[in-house]
Structure formats: C-alpha cells, structure tokens
Amino acid sequence: MSHYHVPLIKDGVGMKGDYAVLWFILIGLVVWGVFVSRRALYRTEPMEQLFLSDHYVHDDETERLLEQEGYEIVGGKFSVPIRIRVDEQEEQSSRLWVDLIVKQKEDWYIVRCARERMQLDWTASGIRKLWTTYFLAFPDCAGVVIVDMADRSVRVIRMDVGEPSGSSE
C-alpha cells in the first residue's frame, strides 16, 4: 500500500504569499462590513431630509380621515420654490405647496388637501398634468395623498414612469 504524502508546508515563500492573500481578503471584508454597517446605522429616510414643519393648521377631520386610512402625520405645511424661464425671458416664480407629510409603515407620502377652486380631473392625463410635479420634486415619496373633505375621501396617486419608446405615428 502506497501512501501519497502531500506536504503541508510549501517552500516558505509560497506559504507567505498565501497568507498575505488571505489577510488581504479578511481586511477587505472587515472594511466592507464596517462601511455597510455605518451606512445602515446613519442612513436617514429619504423624505426625512425635507423641512418637516410642525406648524400646520390642525384640521381634526382631515387628521381623523388620514389616521383612519392608517397614515401617521409626520410634518406640516411648507412650499418648494420653483423658478421658470421660457426662451431666456424674465424668470418667473411659482411655489409647489405641500399640506402635510404622512407616513404609512415605511412609506412617506405628500398630502394635498383639495380646495374648492382645485379642479380635480381623475383621468390619466388630468392626473399627469396636475400631480407629476410632486413626483419630480419628491422622487422618494411613495405617492401623493389627496384629501377631499367635500367627499370625505382619501385617494392615493402613485406614478411610475416607464422607458421612452418610439412614436407609432
């Protein structure tokens, strides 16, 4: 019976190289683990970067409707300035108003309360024209919640934009 003997120790140089590679891999894994854990610990919610004012008009009915639908009110009314220039003409200003910020589970939503003068068009083109700006301004929000006190309703708009495609015309 013949025994095949594999030497456990190579010629000193090769073993040192193997250990160096092993140490390099271990150090890389430790650095990567520290980086990932620090990022997870100190990561803020994307929508937490907003100015979350607690100064808003408390409307008990609106708050009750939102709470019945499972939303937690996180912040109050604020506006986002928008500067518009057409054909290098004089710059015009506008504002995008947000009535509330709410959270449901881990998702954040922008809330707009429907006003009498707001013309709500629930067709696809009407929704696109009226609400796309909110999704552009707040890409991390899960949707826009519309509270309509006239109807005592809460509706959620979610918008996913697909890839551009060629025209069939």
Side-chain angles (χ1 to χ4, degrees):
M1 180 162 113
S2 137
H3 288 91
Y4 179 69
H5 179 65
V6 178
L8 295 177
I9 300 177
K10 292 184 182 178
D11 63 2
V13 176
M15 259 327 248
K16 289 180 186 175
D18 291 346
Y19 282 127
V21 170
L22 181 61
W23 278 108
F24 181 73
I25 290 171
L26 286 173
I27 290 170
L29 287 172
V30 168
V31 168
W32 176 77
V34 168
F35 176 75
V36 168
S37 62
R38 282 183 51 105
R39 188 173 177 196
L41 285 173
Y42 297 108
R43 190 184 118 224
T44 60
E45 294 276 348
M47 296 290 290
E48 281 183 6
Q49 297 172 14
L50 292 175
F51 171 69
L52 297 179
S53 167
D54 56 359
H55 303 291
Y56 58 94
V57 177
H58 293 278
D59 180 354
D60 291 337
E61 287 187 61
T62 300
E63 290 178 22
R64 195 170 336 168
L65 269 176
L66 288 167
E67 288 170 0
Q68 285 173 355
E69 295 293 322
Y71 296 102
E72 171 193 353
I73 297 173
V74 178
K77 190 171 191 118
F78 64 93
S79 66
V80 177
I82 299 175
R83 291 179 295 284
I84 302 166
R85 182 177 289 161
V86 177
D87 295 331
E88 299 306 318
Q89 298 288 326
E90 182 179 333
E91 188 175 275
Q92 300 175 50
S93 296
S94 184
R95 292 195 174 275
L96 187 63
W97 287 97
V98 173
D99 293 318
L100 295 167
I101 300 289
V102 295
K103 192 173 178 182
Q104 187 178 56
K105 297 180 184 166
E106 297 301 315
D107 295 328
W108 293 67
Y109 296 87
I110 302 298
V111 177
R112 285 292 292 158
C113 297
R115 311 276 188 267
E116 245 181 72
R117 63 179 183 232
M118 246 185 206
Q119 298 296 317
L120 297 178
D121 179 359
W122 293 106
T123 64
S125 63
I127 291 168
R128 176 183 41 82
K129 288 176 187 174
L130 194 57
W131 305 109
T132 301
T133 312
Y134 286 90
F135 290 95
L136 292 173
F138 306 103
D140 295 321
C141 76
V144 176
V145 175
I146 311 301
V147 178
D148 189 346
M149 290 310 296
D151 294 344
R152 302 268 188 266
S153 66
V154 175
R155 299 186 82 174
V156 181
I157 300 170
R158 291 182 179 84
M159 195 175 290
D160 294 310
V161 178
E163 294 294 319
S165 64
S167 175
S168 61
E169 298 178 311

